[in-house]
Amino acid sequence: MTNKVHHETKDIADLVIEGIQERKGRKITHIDLSGIESAAASDFIICEGSSTIQVAAIADSVREYLLENAGIKPFNYDGYQNSQWIVVDYGHTLVHVFLPSERERYNLEELWSDAPTTEIPDLD
């Protein structure tokens, strides 16, 4: 039997990316943390929206897309209060939707720079 957990997280990652793209989320980055023991999850998917309204819409789109296409609900989510940085928790996969200024401030890509990173091209 193959590594089922990794296969499932791959499917979730693909669905998350599609959900982000549905709301024109930009600068999507997939960080593979599966090889880092201290990481909170095996995948981080990071993107940005141009306004707090778009950040919330992207996070909503991800939640709706995974529910409709895979029947998967997040374990938790946080950040809708000010919608500058929303985290959606799918267990092995954490989705981070940022305003550009907040993304730059927290710089998760740099924090996990020792992990393999994939940049997903913007659709337009």
Side-chain angles (χ1 to χ4, degrees), residues 28-71:
I28 303 169
T29 303
H30 179 201
I31 304 176
D32 178 357
L33 298 167
S34 60
I36 300 176
E37 269 184 50
S38 60
S42 56
D43 291 285
F44 272 15
I45 299 172
I46 304 166
C47 71
E48 60 190 55
S50 58
S51 66
T52 55
I53 291 168
Q54 188 186 19
V55 167
I58 292 166
D60 286 345
S61 177
V62 167
R63 291 169 45 210
E64 291 163 10
Y65 200 83
L66 267 77
L67 187 59
E68 288 171 14
N69 291 284

Side-chain angles (χ1 to χ4, degrees), residues 80-97:
Y80 279 94
Q81 304 88 324
N82 58 25
S83 296
Q84 295 178 350
W85 174 11
I86 297 177
V87 179
V88 185
D89 177 2
Y90 286 100
H92 293 293
T93 303
L94 290 178
V95 183
H96 301 270
V97 187

